[in-house]
Amino acid sequence: MHHPDPHADPRVFLFLQGPHGPFFNALGRMLRASGAQTWRVGFNAGDQAFWFDRKSYIPYRDAPVHWPEVLQALIAEKQVTDIVLYGDTRPIHANAVRIAKTRGITVHVFEEGYLRPWWVTYERDGSNGNSRLMSLDLDQMAQALSHSGGHAPPPPSHWGDMRQHIFYGALYHWFVLFLNGRYRNFRPHRALPVSKEFRLYFKRLMLMPFHRLQRSLATARVRSGAFPYHLVLLQLGHDSSVQSHSDYSGMCAFLEQMMEGFAKGAPAHHHLVIKEHPLENHREPLRRRVRDLAVRFGINGRVHYVPGGKLAKLLDDASSAVTINSTAGQQVLWRGIPLRIFGRAVYDKPELVSQQEVSRFFAAPELPDVEAYQLYRRFLLETSQVPGGYYSRRGRRQLLRRAVDMMLRADDPYQAALSDDAAPEPQLKIVE
């Protein structure tokens, strides 16, 4: 794909939907300071509320079916050279990526960090199962690193801005729920009504102290037990990683497959720990499902359910872990713990992830190649993982220091590293 010359005519960046909160607004302001033009298409009152430059805001109030033709007209009218979006699979964005590719327009994709929490992901053209990482092998990564002198920092073991994340999610859905009268054709990319989304976010925010206590007690029960245990790392069933990059439609079917495999294969004294996603808002009756499946498969006294929260304490003593394609798999691999995944993930490399059948994995899980993972992780940190975060003020400041320069470069982060003449990136130390 052709990428615009950063020294040619001013770049024109068209922003679509971003992470909840003010990050896209701050990014647009920084791009304008660089001499670029920016425009923002908003699809609901939540998008509008967080874009403060009114003269560059374009409301989209048409039906979703007309979006492709409206976008093409916008590209021609504004002479768009770049499209900026968060997540590439929601219908609005998938259409934009497809159109951009036919016109040689650069697509800047932001996502949650493949290495969380103190990094976010910046790629071109696609992320997760659509990332260029999917087609890169470890030999190519090693070659790219052979002319780089950087050293990767260790991964933090906790989330950085969970409260702010939940707060901005609740606020965004409040705007959509109560002030969306001018966007009557808006359809959320998730199946749940916006009113229920808002209630779930608000409930989660209010119950955080209670959930913290629940989590502490459940974690303490597991850690004080003298039994070996295996982890099932759950994800948000509605998340694009599950919906677009796996064969599952939610967590319940995944749980059934994992618990049946554990019952058949794991030694009788081993236990199974079901770890909920930190942002789980219980659209699916997961806890009840776990209870019912434990009885059905005869493992009732050997299954523990841990709601949300931090993973590190549970990982310290785990025998193995399974997930669909969660980024938490990276923490598992960093510790050298056996990992089996059941979806498409950027770390699904033969050196890292077991290919064993489920029951055999729980019986005798194969270890990952720790040195290979260190190489893979270093490649990510020197390419697409940008220090910072979307939701806290401090995280946004750190992210903006580097993100705009990456966007203005001609090459995407991976191409820059893979090129023979690529200069090594300066390594930023993360100060806690």
Side-chain angles (χ1 to χ4, degrees), residues 204-276:
R204 185 78 185 165
L205 200 58
M206 293 299 101
L207 291 177
M208 279 185 87
F210 174 69
H211 288 152
R212 194 177 295 118
L213 177 62
Q214 265 191 326
R215 183 166 63 246
S216 298
L217 293 172
T219 303
R221 277 196 297 274
V222 172
R223 297 190 74 201
S224 63
F227 44 78
Y229 61 87
H230 306 261
L231 279 172
V232 178
L233 304 176
L234 297 182
Q235 295 166 245
L236 299 175
H238 60 269
D239 191 82
S240 64
S241 291
V242 175
Q243 296 296 320
S244 300
H245 304 303
S246 86
D247 297 327
Y248 298 95
S249 59
M251 289 298 105
C252 286
F254 174 64
L255 274 169
E256 182 171 351
Q257 185 185 354
M258 294 307 102
M259 292 177 74
E260 183 178 18
F262 176 82
K264 287 179 180 176
H269 62 291
H270 284 214
H271 287 222
L272 191 66
V273 177
I274 315 290
K275 168 68 173 60
E276 192 181 83

Side-chain angles (χ1 to χ4, degrees), residues 31 63 70 97 130 135 150 159 185 226 241 315 340 347 374 396 402 414:
L31 282 166
V70 171
V97 173
N130 298 324
S135 61
W159 282 77
N185 288 312
S241 291
L315 271 180
R340 177 76 167 86
Y347 54 82
Q374 294 291 352
R396 287 192 298 274
R402 198 165 165 207
Y414 304 126

Side-chain angles (χ1 to χ4, degrees), residues 77-386:
E77 179 194 335
K78 307 295 186 189
Q79 297 185 301
V80 171
T81 60
D82 300 76
I83 290 177
V84 190
L85 45 82
Y86 172 74
D88 63 328
T89 58
R90 62 184 74 178
I92 287 167
H93 291 169
N95 273 314
V97 173
R98 177 179 54 78
I99 290 166
K101 284 181 177 177
T102 66
R103 290 171 168 248
I105 291 171
T106 303
V107 180
H108 305 268
V109 184
F110 285 89
E111 251 297 359
E112 300 296 340
Y114 294 146
L115 304 174
R116 298 185 191 179
W118 292 108
W119 292 277
V120 307
T121 298
Y122 167 73
E123 296 177 290
R124 303 269 177 95
D125 302 328
S127 65
N128 293 308
N130 298 324
S131 167
R132 189 173 178 187
L133 283 172
M134 299 298 290
S135 61
L136 291 178
D137 60 41
L138 289 177
D139 287 342
Q140 291 170 292
M141 295 180 190
Q143 178 62 32
L145 292 171
S146 66
H147 44 70
S148 166
H151 297 284
S157 59
H158 60 280
W159 282 77
D161 46 13
M162 183 58 64
R163 283 189 301 276
Q164 295 97 322
H165 191 157
I166 294 171
F167 169 77
Y168 279 124
L171 187 58
Y172 176 89
H173 286 96
W174 184 89
F175 281 115
V176 177
L177 184 59
F178 294 111
L179 299 176
N180 220 44
R182 298 171 70 194
Y183 297 90
R184 296 189 185 281
N185 288 312
F186 172 67
R187 298 291 178 271
H189 63 283
R190 293 170 179 163
L192 213 60
V194 172
S195 57
K196 192 163 186 185
E197 284 267 17
F198 170 71
R199 286 199 300 274
L200 289 171
Y201 267 103
F202 186 75
K203 181 180 175 184
R204 185 78 185 165
L205 200 58
M206 293 299 101
L207 291 177
M208 279 185 87
F210 174 69
H211 288 152
R212 194 177 295 118
L213 177 62
Q214 265 191 326
R215 183 166 63 246
S216 298
L217 293 172
T219 303
R221 277 196 297 274
V222 172
R223 297 190 74 201
S224 63
F227 44 78
Y229 61 87
H230 306 261
L231 279 172
V232 178
L233 304 176
L234 297 182
Q235 295 166 245
L236 299 175
H238 60 269
D239 191 82
S240 64
S241 291
V242 175
Q243 296 296 320
S244 300
H245 304 303
S246 86
D247 297 327
Y248 298 95
S249 59
M251 289 298 105
C252 286
F254 174 64
L255 274 169
E256 182 171 351
Q257 185 185 354
M258 294 307 102
M259 292 177 74
E260 183 178 18
F262 176 82
K264 287 179 180 176
H269 62 291
H270 284 214
H271 287 222
L272 191 66
V273 177
I274 315 290
K275 168 68 173 60
E276 192 181 83
H277 189 276
L279 288 171
E280 179 56 57
N281 50 23
H282 306 113
R283 301 169 189 220
E284 298 178 85
L286 297 177
R287 191 187 288 267
R288 186 171 76 240
R289 187 70 174 149
V290 166
R291 207 162 40 231
D292 294 347
L293 289 169
V295 172
R296 177 173 148 195
F297 294 128
I299 51 175
N300 199 19
R302 298 163 57 201
V303 177
H304 310 262
Y305 189 90
V306 179
K310 300 171 185 177
L311 178 60
K313 289 180 180 177
L314 289 171
L315 271 180
D316 287 343
D317 298 309
S319 299
S320 77
V322 295
T323 187
I324 295 178
N325 51 16
S326 171
T327 54
Q330 303 262 10
Q331 288 192 49
V332 177
L333 292 170
W334 185 77
R335 286 167 169 77
I337 297 169
L339 177 67
R340 177 76 167 86
I341 70 169
F342 296 86
R344 295 171 287 285
V346 293
Y347 54 82
D348 186 8
K349 310 295 180 188
E351 298 90 341
L352 309 180
V353 174
S354 169
Q355 303 300 314
Q356 294 166 282
E357 187 271 329
V358 187
S359 59
R360 288 185 62 81
F361 178 79
F362 283 121
E366 295 171 350
L367 288 163
D369 181 334
V370 175
E371 284 189 14
Y373 179 68
Q374 294 291 352
L375 183 148
Y376 170 83
R377 187 173 175 281
R378 189 177 145 212
F379 181 78
L380 259 61
L381 285 169
E382 296 195 20
T383 53
S384 61
Q385 302 306 287
V386 192

